[in-house]
Amino acid sequence: MGSLARVVTVLPLEALPGVMTDPETLSVTIVDGYVDEPAHFGVPPYISTYPRYTAGALVDAGVPREQITYHTIDGLRDDPDRWRDVDEADLMIYLGGMTVPGKYVGGTPAEPDEVRKLAWTASGTSLMGGPVKFGVGDENAGATETERQDLDFDFVAKGDVEAAVFDLVENGLEGFNNRMRDVDEVSRWAREGAFVVDQHPNHPDHLIAELETSRGCAYRCSFCTEPLYGNPSFRPPPTVVGEVDALSDHGVKHFRIGRQADILAYGGDGEAPNPDALRQLYSGIREVAPDLETLHLDNMNPITIVEWPEQSREGIRIIAEHNTPGDTAAFGLESADPVVQEENNLNVSAEECFEAVRIVNEEGGWRPGEDPDDAPTFGDDAPRRLPKLLPGINLLHGLKGEREETYERNMAFLRRVYDEGYMLRRINIRQVMAFDGTDMSDTGAEIANEHKKLFKRYKKQVREEIDNPMLERVAPPGTVLPDVHLEYHQDGTTFGRQLGTYPLLVGIPGERALGQTIDVAVVDHGYRSVTAVPYPLDLNAASMDELTAIPGIGSSTAGDIVVDRPYESVADAGLDTTVDLSQFVTTRPLERVN
């Protein structure tokens, strides 16, 4: 009689029905596909709150820090071996979503097909969250319509992804209820998750952390996803300051208070300013991070300034006292056309927005080294540094009620700002993206597509007639831009930017080593970029390309400079230029060879 063999299948403990997965054994991979929302930014060199809060929620749920791996989508593109972390993780979390169209230099947001590949690659449980929950288009661009998709993930967090992650781990990866996290939770998770910045490719020198002070909005503009977070809710100043303290301990020196609809409304009733809360916030940040190198903000609602001018002035003064130069308060004018304003529930008129521009210029438009009471300052007598705080204007096209006159009214508004002697740090012109849950979902991209040609002509007109002269007013020749990070080469020029809100794109003659930071001085202006030379520029060592970048110095003069040097002083060169060379040019003695 032959012997009988019995086959026994042994299942791992976590696969047995009813047995919970132990958080201490979990391996987790977080993939950052980047975010761009009306009040939240996370494309490199920015890191958004999502990966930090998600990492903090994982730790709070019991997952050891050393078992949490973080990758950006660019990191996966650059090194295919990193996909192993996506494949082998017990839990793979994708964070991303673009609800505002933009063009990006520091990173390329994940496209839908790449996100699907993540889901297909993950062998463990997969979870998707962030603003991607609001909808996905065929591409990350304006004049597009979106729809909600799961992109083949096991779970989609329809509430806060960090709350979903915490609950999912608590529930042994078996599911979660869609919910929003509370202030106590986000305060813990913000500190606990600060460590994840160590794994960002830009860490530590070229990374700026987006900070959240509030979510939600008191207003209901037709196109905007921010009201989908509800009415404004604020994090108390000590919780934000504590987050900065933790990030600073992990080497972060650049911060932007960008995650809110209106910085002036911080700590108040959602609409009226609260200068005391702003003072606690800004002074607290400066106390725990005294060596910070960037402190900027993003959104400021112009209607707040008009409705509460004195409290707003005080708040703006507090910000300008504590921030770093080149800061920008983005104003959501969206349209100067009253018809478009009415049909889209926009909360500020062109006249009101102009008044807000004036007030921010008067309170924040001063430059380091001068009396704040002199603001706004520009021209030959102004110090050669960027102003402390200026407004930026957002204009959105493709909204309901848009007509040809809309473009004319927008141009008239911008011309008035320039003609009356005020400054705008930047003008952001884009076309609408339509998302479910917003009033624009019915109209979609129809109007934007109809007006494509008109939009292109108008955008070119703004760049030529407003942007160029405005940029020269904000950053005249000789303006010093410290710590410009060199990012890429193009046509024999090296391009770089400072870290901060809407930094100027700087073109420097010649191809320099990328990844370094240098100080530069502005010598010429484009539409949205400047040409600059190293600061100070040594006349005895400058290249031909650097010399000819200076207005008034052609190739012949530059050749003479090179042949006739060294010079004892700049005056010895006898140069006749249209800019004041004493602002940024020097002569260093040449070293003798023994």
Side-chain angles (χ1 to χ4, degrees):
M1 184 176 177
S3 62
L4 295 175
R6 183 171 61 180
V7 177
V8 178
T9 301
V10 179
L11 295 175
L13 184 64
E14 61 268 25
L16 294 174
V19 177
M20 301 290 280
T21 302
D22 184 353
E24 291 191 359
T25 69
L26 279 180
S27 63
V28 183
T29 295
I30 299 170
V31 177
D32 188 350
Y34 312 143
V35 301
D36 192 354
E37 301 181 82
H40 198 179
F41 191 55
V43 181
Y46 284 82
I47 182 170
S48 75
T49 66
Y50 288 109
R52 291 153 28 211
Y53 294 0
T54 297
L58 288 166
V59 172
D60 197 27
V63 180
R65 286 186 181 184
E66 59 271 17
Q67 289 167 212
I68 300 171
T69 300
Y70 167 78
H71 291 303
T72 65
I73 190 65
D74 282 315
L76 294 178
R77 292 170 181 140
D78 293 342
D79 185 358
D81 288 344
R82 293 173 179 167
W83 282 86
R84 185 179 299 113
D85 294 328
V86 175
D87 175 21
E88 297 177 354
D90 298 314
L91 174 61
M92 190 279 292
I93 303 163
Y94 170 75
L95 306 169
M98 319 301 287
T99 63
V100 177
K103 294 182 178 179
Y104 313 101
V105 174
T108 303
E111 294 288 351
D113 286 347
E114 292 180 299
V115 182
R116 285 191 183 91
K117 181 182 176 182
L118 288 167
W120 297 339
T121 302
S123 297
T125 302
S126 61
L127 167 67
M128 178 173 71
V132 69
K133 69 186 179 184
F134 295 127
V136 179
D138 293 332
E139 59 178 340
N140 298 318
T144 58
E145 299 177 16
T146 65
E147 61 179 346
R148 290 186 169 96
Q149 301 180 42
D150 65 14
L151 298 176
D152 297 331
F153 276 69
D154 296 328
F155 296 104
V156 177
K158 296 182 175 64
D160 280 325
V161 63
E162 53 267 37
V165 164
F166 180 85
D167 294 347
L168 183 64
V169 173
E170 286 265 291
N171 294 331
L173 303 187
E174 294 182 0
F176 54 87
N177 292 321
N178 286 300
R179 67 177 179 90
M180 309 302 279
R181 37 83 166 171
D182 60 35
V183 171
D184 289 338
E185 286 177 320
V186 75
S187 299
R188 292 198 309 272
W189 299 343
R191 290 195 69 121
E192 289 280 7
F195 74 93
V196 84
V197 300
D198 295 341
Q199 300 181 51
H200 195 286
N202 290 33
H203 181 269
D205 297 325
H206 191 51
L207 186 66
I208 181 166
E210 187 87 323
L211 300 175
E212 175 186 318
T213 64
S214 70
R215 293 195 309 177
C217 187
Y219 304 98
R220 296 293 183 268
C221 300
S222 68
F223 60 91
C224 188
T225 56
E226 190 61 24
L228 300 180
Y229 288 105
N231 290 323
S233 59
F234 300 97
R235 294 175 61 196
T239 71
V240 183
V241 171
E243 180 182 3
V244 171
D245 193 14
L247 289 166
S248 183
D249 287 344
H250 284 276
V252 178
K253 292 188 175 183
H254 305 273
F255 303 92
R256 186 175 83 155
I257 305 171
R259 180 61 180 109
Q260 74 279 312
D262 181 9
I263 186 62
L264 287 180
Y266 173 65
D269 61 4
E271 297 183 46
N274 184 346
D276 288 340
L278 282 172
R279 187 174 289 105
Q280 290 180 53
L281 176 68
Y282 272 86
S283 63
I285 289 173
R286 280 293 193 172
E287 184 175 345
V288 299
D291 297 325
L292 67 78
E293 296 176 10
T294 304
L295 181 57
H296 281 184
L297 61 88
D298 191 6
N299 298 302
M300 185 181 288
N301 198 330
I303 197 63
T304 304
I305 301 172
V306 176
E307 295 286 347
W308 295 276
E310 293 311 311
Q311 297 100 309
S312 295
R313 283 182 181 273
E314 184 180 356
I316 294 165
R317 286 194 294 270
I318 292 167
I319 293 168
E321 175 189 352
H322 292 91
N323 71 354
T324 53
D327 201 358
T328 306
F331 282 2
L333 171 60
E334 315 305 352
S335 178
D337 185 345
V339 171
V340 176
Q341 291 163 8
E342 177 69 24
E343 291 200 27
N344 295 274
N345 201 31
L346 306 183
N347 62 51
V348 64
S349 68
E351 188 62 37
E352 290 167 331
C353 190
F354 180 84
E355 176 66 6
V357 166
R358 182 179 69 83
I359 289 174
V360 172
N361 268 261
E362 290 175 352
E363 301 298 343
W366 54 278
R367 302 168 192 259
E370 67 182 359
D371 189 337
D373 291 339
D374 293 336
T377 57
F378 52 87
D380 292 340
D381 296 331
R384 287 316 195 246
R385 291 292 302 276
L386 290 176
K388 290 300 293 292
L389 177 66
L390 292 177
I393 295 294
N394 294 338
L395 295 170
L396 185 59
H397 290 273
L399 295 173
K400 291 183 289 184
E402 183 177 281
R403 52 200 176 139
E404 190 165 348
E405 186 178 336
T406 304
Y407 295 84
E408 296 168 359
R409 285 180 174 269
N410 286 354
M411 280 299 303
F413 171 82
L414 296 174
R415 286 195 186 100
R416 182 185 177 193
V417 171
Y418 183 81
D419 290 345
E420 296 202 20
Y422 298 113
M423 292 182 286
L424 298 175
R425 171 55 196 83
R426 69 97 177 92
I427 302 164
N428 190 13
I429 304 171
R430 53 200 170 88
Q431 289 185 297
V432 72
M433 297 177 77
F435 288 89
D436 287 344
T438 68
D439 291 345
M440 275 299 297
S441 60
D442 292 336
T443 304
E446 180 182 345
I447 296 173
N449 287 321
E450 287 179 0
H451 292 172
K452 281 268 190 183
K453 290 183 179 179
L454 180 60
F455 175 79
K456 290 181 71 173
R457 289 198 305 271
Y458 147 86
K459 192 171 182 179
K460 184 174 184 289
Q461 185 181 18
V462 172
R463 298 303 181 224
E464 292 175 350
E465 297 182 16
I466 305 295
D467 273 326
N468 182 261
M470 184 67 78
L471 187 52
E472 187 166 359
R473 178 176 289 178
V474 171
T479 298
V480 177
L481 305 177
D483 299 321
V484 172
H485 184 86
L486 306 185
E487 295 179 282
Y488 66 96
H489 297 139
Q490 183 176 315
D491 299 329
T493 299
T494 302
F495 287 90
R497 297 174 299 170
Q498 294 175 297
L499 283 176
T501 294
Y502 311 108
L504 282 171
L505 181 62
V506 181
I508 305 160
E511 293 196 354
R512 295 175 169 268
L514 302 182
Q516 63 174 321
T517 59
I518 65 171
D519 298 342
V520 302
V522 175
V523 293
D524 206 355
H525 306 81
Y527 299 150
R528 305 190 77 190
S529 64
V530 296
T531 300
V533 294
Y535 174 81
L537 183 68
D538 181 8
L539 206 61
N540 288 330
S543 70
M544 286 283 291
D545 286 340
E546 290 166 349
L547 292 169
T548 55
I550 301 172
I553 297 182
S555 57
S556 176
T557 302
D560 292 341
I561 293 172
V562 172
V563 169
D564 295 338
R565 59 192 184 191
Y567 301 97
E568 292 292 328
S569 68
V570 175
D572 287 347
L575 300 175
D576 182 18
T577 63
T578 57
V579 299
D580 182 2
L581 297 182
S582 67
Q583 299 275 358
F584 60 94
V585 177
T586 188
T587 53
R588 295 191 179 109
L590 296 178
E591 295 182 2
R592 291 185 177 181
V593 179
N594 294 325

